[in-house]
Amino acid sequence: MLVFFALSCKKQPVYNSPPVTTTTTTTTTTTTTTSAALDTTQYNIVWSDEFNGTAVDTTKWNFETGYLNVNNEDEYYKAQNATVANGNLVITAKRETNGNQSYTSARMNTLNKVNVQYGMVEARIKLPLGAGLWPAFWMMGNDLPVVSWPGCGEIDIMEHINATTTIYGTMHWTGPDTKQAQYGLTTTISSPDDYHVYAITWDKNSIN
């Protein structure tokens, strides 16, 4: 399943969010999958959301709401913080108290709505910059409700922390000692607050 959200995303509780001002993440998503290949001209679109309507399409997305009590996050998730306008999904983080938390944001996934294995997955995203922000675009195994994390596996396509120029891509899985294992690389972009396409190509041998 695909997941978007606009504040802390790290799977270990290693980061406490300092105060932030109201910020906005804007995304336009296209997801594709086909046979294992790296030649992108060979891909066929099998699922996408261009956000051409006036609200989030709940036939394609689920909202995760409330205080999730994970990852040292300080936010309370609300569906109202995700809006659609001018062909964009806009996720807004706000400094406001809700559910005993000091901030609100939105978190969305596609569990039981799209199942992607192999092919190409991408989103065009404009990131917010500011202390305490951790926007992310990632994939979780559809068996998450049964085996939990990290046994379900995770592919982080894009994570960005605070106002740096570093973009993280990471895989998480269960290691031989049944504990969390991970591997990842980073890339640097000079303008994360401009639109960029973040994508992976994935076959049975590699993720690029």
Side-chain angles (χ1 to χ4, degrees), residues 17-37:
S17 301
V20 300
T21 56
T22 300
T23 55
T24 301
T25 299
T26 305
T27 62
T28 300
T29 305
T30 301
T31 304
T32 64
T33 181
T34 183
S35 60

Side-chain angles (χ1 to χ4, degrees), residues 69-175:
N69 194 28
V70 294
N71 311 326
N72 259 9
E73 296 173 5
D74 291 331
E75 68 269 36
Y76 185 95
Y77 289 113
K78 299 167 58 178
Q80 297 93 316
N81 287 50
T83 57
V84 172
N86 302 315
N88 294 293
L89 165 67
V90 181
I91 298 177
T92 304
K94 298 180 180 180
R95 187 198 299 268
E96 61 180 2
T97 301
N98 203 310
N100 295 320
Q101 300 307 115
S102 300
Y103 307 93
T104 64
S105 184
R107 176 164 163 152
M108 300 160 52
N109 69 55
T110 61
L111 182 63
N112 298 322
K113 297 182 186 293
V114 61
N115 184 11
V116 177
Q117 183 179 28
Y118 302 150
M120 184 175 183
V121 182
E122 67 176 17
R124 183 172 178 263
I125 303 174
K126 180 179 181 180
L127 299 172
L129 304 182
L133 298 175
W134 200 315
F137 167 48
W138 79 102
M139 301 175 71
M140 301 284 280
N142 277 1
D143 56 355
L144 172 64
V146 178
V147 302
S148 73
W149 186 91
C152 63
E154 176 178 342
I155 303 171
D156 297 317
I157 301 170
M158 183 286 300
E159 289 184 281
H160 179 256
I161 304 169
N162 300 329
T164 70
T165 57
T166 301
I167 303 295
Y168 295 87
T170 313
M171 297 176 290
H172 301 265
W173 68 94
T174 300

